[in-house]
Amino acid sequence: MTFTPADSGFEQRVRTSFAKQQVMRTIGAGLVSVAPGEVVIDLPFRDDLTQQHGYLHAAIVTAIVDSACGFAAYSLMPLDAAVLTIEYKVNFLAPAVGTRFIAHGRVMKAGRTINVTTGDVIAETSKGTKPIATMMATVMTVTDRPISG
Amino acid sequence: MTFTPADSGFEQRVRTSFAKQQVMRTIGAGLVSVAPGEVVIDLPFRDDLTQQHGYLHAAIVTAIVDSACGFAAYSLMPLDAAVLTIEYKVNFLAPAVGTRFIAHGRVMKAGRTINVTTGDVIAETSKGTKPIATMMATVMTVTDRPISG
Amino acid sequence: MTFTPADSGFEQRVRTSFAKQQVMRTIGAGLVSVAPGEVVIDLPFRDDLTQQHGYLHAAIVTAIVDSACGFAAYSLMPLDAAVLTIEYKVNFLAPAVGTRFIAHGRVMKAGRTINVTTGDVIAETSKGTKPIATMMATVMTVTDRPISG
Amino acid sequence: MTFTPADSGFEQRVRTSFAKQQVMRTIGAGLVSVAPGEVVIDLPFRDDLTQQHGYLHAAIVTAIVDSACGFAAYSLMPLDAAVLTIEYKVNFLAPAVGTRFIAHGRVMKAGRTINVTTGDVIAETSKGTKPIATMMATVMTVTDRPISG
């Protein structure tokens, strides 16, 4: 599927917003690529992000694919819009074992208000790559008000 | 709903497993309480866990309620069992603004293999508490094999 | 949770809309009760709605709880609003065995645009009642445009 | 993704099981094709399956994609296995307007016990086809016990 972004400066806008997500820096995630409706984020394995079996914690897997999906939607939004994640669902396909994790987020349907995105996470291991999670996320375009608590 | 845990040492077993989740320490989460089929985890707000608007990142909200749900299921499992999160869905009800976040995880249905859990997260603010997220998670009881990648 | 409906004629509005859902008549579902933010729908078992094991098909279980959740949200909406289901997730807790099925839909969060609802389905059997499914649904309030294909 | 079915008679096994789903006959759904890990089901539009705006009810859209996903998983299972839907999530992309609806179900991950499937539904209209829904479903392989209520 090909999308035409509403704002031609979409890549810089996504990169600026990603840089403001302090949690991405905290966990060591990086923005690999930004295309219209598609964003890739990666994360090297780190011991301090693990669950009880020593694998990457499911919520950290979720963190990178959630941000990939949110920014994929954001890449298509108008200049003055903010992105709000309404909900997501993740299926975990295999334990998060690997040296590096790569999350792809893609827009499936870009609506006026509601955007549906899908994402997946693959793990890089010494034996190759392996899919470990898949996400479906609903993301809202907010243009008429601040996102506030 | 009242559950009878299969292992009377369930609380210590949950506390030991929680202590092994290095990511919980990394983000500053604490285990508040453990009851049969119900676990509470809290997290003080921290700037380095935020998204682009300065609120707690959705995936960190997810992290504490995911662990609360997983450990709620784990509390009812036999001594030799491991817990595996198959999937979860989260709806975000309000931006994660607050000074402290409290996640409750509860078992809704404890099956032989499949457990269904629900969880919610509330934010403590200067004005009181506010629900910010709700989760439904499917958790598997694994007894006959190691959880491996 | 107590809600104040935006339209005092909410019950009649829900009943009129339910009557227009031809599929409810086709499967034999009935509107049991309508309260602000809470709707109950029931369905007697019928052989022609079953799956391969002779139980009620999961999608029919979904049908009644989906409508219960949608109408629960609709009950709180303004007079001129339409309701649009954005997405839902259902966990099936037990096979749908019984003589009658009762779906409760409740609003968890009523927003300006986005409403989060939860629902559950219980089966009546000769031995009592049993929960068989639980739903989380995101429902949109549409006020400024027709719902069209 | 290519799958090798455990039972070479998978197509007949799926067709036999589909024929036992009385609800499929009731709503007029047909089994279009069966391949290893992939099943297609269609449904002509019918007035008696509509919601309040005259479109196909979301739960009927769900019915065909749920069955497509379940049978996609079933196609890969051993001869003596039964299929059990644990949970699913559906996002609705557009109102279900059309003359015919086509659901594709595909296996994403075939596990020993847990299978993850995805599905989508497109509507045929006079102007062409349009995606209207997407599903993620978790399906269990049950081999050691009857599926009972």
Side-chain angles (χ1 to χ4, degrees):
Chain A
M1 202 170 290
T2 311
F3 294 106
T4 306
D7 163 31
S8 62
F10 70 92
E11 179 169 352
Q12 191 50 53
R13 199 161 39 87
V14 168
R15 292 194 175 276
T16 302
S17 189
F18 181 85
K20 286 185 190 160
Q21 287 209 341
Q22 293 199 47
V23 73
M24 290 294 122
R25 200 156 50 233
T26 301
I27 64 175
L31 186 53
V32 176
S33 67
V34 180
E38 187 161 358
V39 165
V40 180
I41 291 174
D42 76 345
L43 179 79
F45 176 80
R46 267 182 20 195
D47 274 337
D48 65 345
L49 302 175
T50 54
Q51 37 83 292
Q52 67 274 25
H53 302 107
Y55 309 141
L56 198 68
H57 193 279
I60 301 298
V61 174
T62 300
I64 56 173
V65 67
D66 167 19
S67 283
C69 285
F71 285 123
Y74 187 56
S75 73
L76 301 180
M77 291 183 190
L79 190 57
D80 61 340
V83 57
L84 189 65
T85 298
I86 295 175
E87 61 85 37
Y88 51 60
K89 178 213 202 297
V90 194
N91 267 70
F92 298 98
L93 307 175
V97 176
T99 52
R100 181 172 167 252
F101 300 90
I102 303 155
H104 281 75
R106 288 171 212 86
V107 173
M108 175 181 286
K109 162 82 190 283
R112 204 179 56 159
T113 307
I114 302 298
N115 307 282
V116 181
T117 64
T118 57
D120 54 73
V121 184
I122 59 170
E124 284 182 356
T125 71
S126 55
K127 294 179 215 157
T129 60
K130 186 175 184 172
I132 58 165
T134 181
M135 171 179 272
M136 202 181 295
T138 308
V139 176
M140 194 172 175
T141 304
V142 181
T143 48
D144 55 350
R145 55 177 167 137
I147 306 261
S148 64
Chain B
M1 202 170 289
T2 311
F3 293 105
T4 306
D7 163 31
S8 62
F10 70 92
E11 179 168 352
Q12 191 51 50
R13 198 162 39 88
V14 168
R15 291 192 176 278
T16 301
S17 189
F18 181 86
K20 286 186 191 160
Q21 287 209 341
Q22 293 199 47
V23 73
M24 290 294 124
R25 200 157 49 234
T26 302
I27 64 175
L31 187 52
V32 176
S33 66
V34 179
E38 187 161 358
V39 165
V40 179
I41 291 174
D42 76 344
L43 178 79
F45 176 80
R46 268 181 21 193
D47 273 336
D48 65 346
L49 302 175
T50 54
Q51 36 84 292
Q52 67 274 24
H53 301 106
Y55 310 141
L56 200 68
H57 193 278
I60 302 298
V61 174
T62 299
I64 56 172
V65 67
D66 167 20
S67 283
C69 286
F71 285 123
Y74 188 56
S75 73
L76 300 181
M77 291 182 190
L79 191 57
D80 62 339
V83 58
L84 189 65
T85 298
I86 295 175
E87 62 85 37
Y88 52 60
K89 178 211 202 295
V90 194
N91 266 70
F92 298 97
L93 307 175
V97 177
T99 52
R100 181 173 167 252
F101 300 89
I102 303 155
H104 282 74
R106 289 172 212 85
V107 174
M108 175 181 284
K109 163 82 189 283
R112 202 180 56 159
T113 307
I114 301 298
N115 307 282
V116 180
T117 64
T118 57
D120 55 73
V121 184
I122 61 169
E124 284 182 355
T125 70
S126 56
K127 296 180 213 155
T129 61
K130 186 176 184 173
I132 59 166
T134 182
M135 171 179 273
M136 203 182 295
T138 309
V139 176
M140 193 173 176
T141 304
V142 181
T143 48
D144 54 351
R145 55 176 166 136
I147 306 259
S148 64
Chain C
M1 202 171 289
T2 311
F3 294 105
T4 306
D7 162 31
S8 63
F10 71 91
E11 179 169 352
Q12 190 51 51
R13 200 163 38 89
V14 168
R15 291 192 175 278
T16 301
S17 190
F18 181 86
K20 286 185 190 160
Q21 286 209 341
Q22 293 199 46
V23 73
M24 290 294 124
R25 201 158 46 233
T26 301
I27 64 175
L31 186 53
V32 175
S33 66
V34 180
E38 186 161 357
V39 164
V40 180
I41 291 174
D42 75 346
L43 179 79
F45 177 79
R46 267 183 19 195
D47 274 336
D48 65 345
L49 302 176
T50 54
Q51 37 82 294
Q52 67 274 25
H53 302 106
Y55 310 142
L56 199 69
H57 193 278
I60 301 298
V61 173
T62 300
I64 56 172
V65 67
D66 166 20
S67 282
C69 285
F71 285 123
Y74 188 57
S75 74
L76 301 180
M77 291 182 189
L79 190 57
D80 62 339
V83 57
L84 190 65
T85 298
I86 294 175
E87 61 83 38
Y88 51 60
K89 179 213 201 295
V90 194
N91 267 70
F92 298 97
L93 307 175
V97 177
T99 52
R100 182 172 166 252
F101 301 90
I102 303 155
H104 282 75
R106 290 172 212 84
V107 174
M108 174 181 284
K109 164 81 189 285
R112 204 181 54 159
T113 308
I114 301 298
N115 307 281
V116 180
T117 63
T118 57
D120 56 72
V121 183
I122 60 169
E124 284 182 355
T125 69
S126 55
K127 296 180 212 155
T129 61
K130 186 175 185 174
I132 58 166
T134 182
M135 171 178 273
M136 202 181 296
T138 308
V139 176
M140 193 174 178
T141 304
V142 181
T143 48
D144 56 350
R145 55 175 167 138
I147 307 257
S148 65
Chain D
M1 202 170 290
T2 310
F3 294 105
T4 307
D7 163 31
S8 62
F10 71 91
E11 178 169 352
Q12 191 51 50
R13 199 163 39 89
V14 168
R15 292 193 176 276
T16 301
S17 190
F18 181 86
K20 286 185 191 160
Q21 286 209 343
Q22 293 200 46
V23 73
M24 290 294 123
R25 201 157 48 233
T26 301
I27 65 174
L31 186 53
V32 175
S33 66
V34 180
E38 186 161 358
V39 165
V40 180
I41 292 174
D42 75 345
L43 178 78
F45 176 80
R46 266 180 22 193
D47 274 336
D48 65 345
L49 302 175
T50 55
Q51 36 83 293
Q52 66 274 23
H53 301 107
Y55 309 142
L56 200 68
H57 193 279
I60 301 298
V61 173
T62 299
I64 54 173
V65 68
D66 167 20
S67 283
C69 285
F71 284 122
Y74 188 56
S75 73
L76 301 179
M77 291 183 190
L79 190 58
D80 61 339
V83 57
L84 189 66
T85 298
I86 294 175
E87 62 84 38
Y88 52 60
K89 179 214 202 296
V90 194
N91 266 69
F92 298 97
L93 307 175
V97 176
T99 51
R100 182 173 167 250
F101 301 90
I102 302 155
H104 282 75
R106 289 171 211 82
V107 173
M108 175 181 284
K109 164 80 191 283
R112 201 180 57 157
T113 308
I114 302 297
N115 307 280
V116 181
T117 64
T118 56
D120 55 72
V121 183
I122 59 169
E124 284 182 355
T125 70
S126 55
K127 295 179 213 158
T129 61
K130 187 175 184 173
I132 58 166
T134 181
M135 172 179 272
M136 201 182 295
T138 308
V139 176
M140 194 173 177
T141 304
V142 181
T143 48
D144 56 350
R145 56 178 165 135
I147 307 260
S148 64

